[in-house]
Amino acid sequence: VSDHVYNGCLKLLKRAFNYAIELKQISTNPFSELKPVSIPKKLRNRFSTKELKEVIDTCIDAMPEFYCILCIATLTGMRLGEYSAIRPCDIKRKDNRYVIYVDKQITRNEYKARTKTVTSTRIVDISNKVYDIIQWHIKYFGINHTDFMFKPEQGGLIYAKWIERRFAKLLTLCGYEEKFCRVHDLRGQYV
């Protein structure tokens, strides 16, 4: 297993056996002497503002089906599973601003009528520009008000691998290595 999984399992085992000691079911924790594996921190790549603009411009020209996803990912901080489950009816005007209601997700190729955590259910403010991009996408691809905004060519639910493959292709089109950054890193890009 990976170092990350090993450390997670070790933490669980230590806690479980410490709990057994508290309950006086055992007297010693056989895992107490084991140390977690040191995992070096990874520095994630980010685009400069100029680089991001170039990536977005390339995307609209070469991959229009991915353009709206890229803009939402980089300009809202939403998770992949959250923007995969957006429907046009989730985008509303509220108090002179546009928002996306985030209350569902698509994870592991499965629609879930809830978000990752309770606090993930929220209202995300979007700029007028992001709203315009969403409206362009809806019109350009003929999305029904209650349909999912993003669908693969063969129909069905959009899935993480589809988005990840498109993003990797976009990176190479823009002259970056395929693994320059992950789709999830676009959340950090937003921050």
Side-chain angles (χ1 to χ4, degrees):
V1 298
S2 72
D3 292 342
H4 182 73
V5 170
Y6 170 84
N7 286 346
C9 291
L10 182 59
K11 185 187 288 186
L12 174 66
L13 288 167
K14 283 182 176 184
R15 287 182 180 167
F17 278 80
N18 283 339
Y19 183 63
I21 291 171
E22 283 179 34
L23 296 176
K24 301 193 184 328
Q25 293 178 340
I26 60 173
S27 59
T28 60
N29 186 337
F31 297 97
S32 63
E33 298 299 316
L34 292 176
K35 302 289 182 214
V37 176
S38 177
I39 302 172
K41 277 194 147 193
K42 290 183 182 177
L43 182 61
R44 301 289 182 198
N45 291 311
R46 301 285 188 259
F47 299 108
S48 69
T49 303
K50 181 181 177 201
E51 291 168 334
L52 183 58
K53 183 174 178 354
E54 290 169 358
V55 170
I56 290 171
D57 289 345
T58 300
C59 189
I60 186 64
D61 293 335
M63 303 171 67
E65 76 285 355
F66 190 66
Y67 174 63
C68 188
I69 292 174
L70 177 67
C71 291
I72 288 173
T74 56
L75 301 174
T76 68
M78 291 173 65
R79 292 180 179 92
L80 185 152
E82 295 169 345
Y83 55 76
S84 297
I86 295 175
R87 300 171 194 225
C89 58
D90 297 326
I91 299 142
K92 301 197 180 349
R93 188 164 179 79
K94 181 181 179 181
D95 302 328
N96 294 325
R97 68 189 203 279
Y98 293 107
V99 298
I100 300 174
Y101 286 86
V102 178
D103 59 359
K104 58 197 158 309
Q105 66 177 343
I106 296 174
T107 303
R108 294 190 172 108
N109 303 339
E110 183 181 324
Y111 172 76
K112 296 182 180 173
R114 58 176 170 66
T115 53
K116 183 177 178 181
T117 65
V118 173
T119 57
S120 295
T121 300
R122 64 197 185 284
I123 296 172
V124 175
D125 286 304
I126 58 173
S127 68
N128 290 343
K129 180 67 176 172
V130 172
Y131 178 79
D132 291 343
I133 292 166
I134 290 169
Q135 293 309 307
W136 169 85
H137 179 85
I138 291 168
K139 186 176 179 183
Y140 187 85
F141 292 100
I143 309 295
N144 184 302
H145 190 66
T146 56
D147 284 347
F148 290 114
M149 292 250 317
F150 311 113
K151 298 180 269 187
E153 298 81 14
Q154 65 275 19
L157 299 175
I158 196 101
Y159 50 95
K161 287 288 180 208
W162 185 93
I163 293 172
E164 290 163 357
R165 280 190 216 115
R166 293 293 185 293
F167 186 58
K169 179 180 176 184
L170 178 62
L171 287 173
T172 56
L173 279 173
C174 295
Y176 296 95
E177 290 182 27
E178 197 173 286
K179 298 197 184 277
F180 176 78
C181 67
R182 305 167 303 163
V183 171
H184 186 72
D185 295 331
L186 297 176
R187 262 174 71 81
Q189 179 75 44
Y190 169 73
V191 172

